[in-house]
Amino acid sequence: VVFTEKQEALVKESWELMKLNIPDLSLQFFTTILEIAPAAKGMFSFLKDSDVVPQNNPKLKAHAVKVFKMTCEAAIQLRAKGEVVVAETTLRNLGSVHLKKGVADAHFEVVKEALLRTIKDAVGKKWSEEMGGAWAEAYDHLAAAIKAEMKEEV
Ligand code: HEM
Ligand code: ISQ
């Protein structure tokens, strides 16, 4: 995979902007996932008995931020090594959590779409097709690593 310096810079630059507003970012990301796939509601413990997204749930925030951070990290690795390598223990944990929650391949497209919409909103005028494409490519590689681990766990 050829992931350019420019693509890496676009991802890093947008993530720096997004970091300035983590509370809104994480809520918007999560809300968008549920908008696209309402049926995914039952998977997340943050919602428990409630129908509404909690406005200040530390676990929701932390997990949402991790998705962005890991995707950003994936972009850095793609540029440096041409592949994404996730630490073995992290990958095993992610594989087992997502498998247990019943996450399927199609869900990864939902999260990808929500991620891209959230970034587009957050960066405003700085957004470009190229920026979205760079995030999408990094996400696809990260998602592939998690999916492969899920298939191995059974
Ligand atoms: C949990 C990351 C894709 C649904 C988590 C956690 C992380 C994470 C870091 C917390 C793990 C822990 O508790 O130790 C990611 C990344 C993804 C991804 C990096 C893609 C590249 C998805 C998809 C879905 C999903 C596609 C399905 C809609 C969940 C659920 C949990 C979870 C239901 C458990 C949350 C809870 O109730 O505590 N994910 N995830 N994730 N993820 Fe993902
Ligand atoms: C877990 N996995 C994927 C996406 C998420 C978004 C918000 C909170 C937790 C998540």
Side-chain angles (χ1 to χ4, degrees):
V1 180
V2 181
F3 198 81
T4 65
E5 223 166 289
K6 173 89 184 290
Q7 285 178 300
E8 181 189 7
L10 285 168
V11 170
K12 280 181 168 171
E13 174 196 323
S14 43
W15 174 230
E16 287 306 318
L17 279 177
M18 290 152 68
K19 273 200 260 182
L20 301 174
N21 194 359
I22 295 288
D24 282 349
L25 179 87
S26 49
L27 272 181
Q28 195 193 338
F29 181 33
F30 187 60
T31 306
T32 307
I33 292 173
L34 300 187
E35 260 169 34
I36 304 174
K41 270 184 188 170
M43 287 181 175
F44 293 91
S45 65
F46 321 125
L47 289 165
K48 286 219 165 75
D49 318 302
S50 159
D51 235 18
V52 290
V53 176
Q55 297 299 297
N56 195 11
N57 182 316
K59 212 166 125 183
L60 190 166
K61 215 184 287 177
H63 288 185
V65 167
K66 243 187 219 170
V67 179
F68 284 104
K69 265 200 187 136
M70 289 185 73
T71 309
C72 191
E73 203 55 48
I76 294 166
Q77 291 188 2
L78 271 182
R79 158 77 188 130
K81 309 189 245 193
E83 61 176 333
V84 172
V85 182
V86 185
E88 187 55 34
T89 48
T90 308
L91 197 56
R92 210 167 297 148
N93 175 59
L94 285 181
S96 86
V97 168
H98 290 94
L99 195 64
K100 240 184 284 172
K101 296 287 184 173
V103 175
D105 280 5
H107 290 121
F108 280 91
E109 290 306 308
V110 173
V111 169
K112 178 181 176 178
E113 177 62 30
L115 180 99
L116 293 174
R117 279 195 212 168
T118 306
I119 296 162
K120 187 173 183 178
D121 241 52
V123 303
K125 284 193 192 131
K126 292 223 163 191
W127 196 87
S128 64
E129 290 289 343
E130 201 181 359
M131 180 182 278
W135 278 96
E137 201 167 326
Y139 175 89
D140 284 344
H141 282 265
L142 177 60
I146 298 173
K147 284 188 213 171
E149 180 66 25
M150 288 169 73
K151 271 159 198 156
E152 244 172 60
E153 292 219 6
V154 181

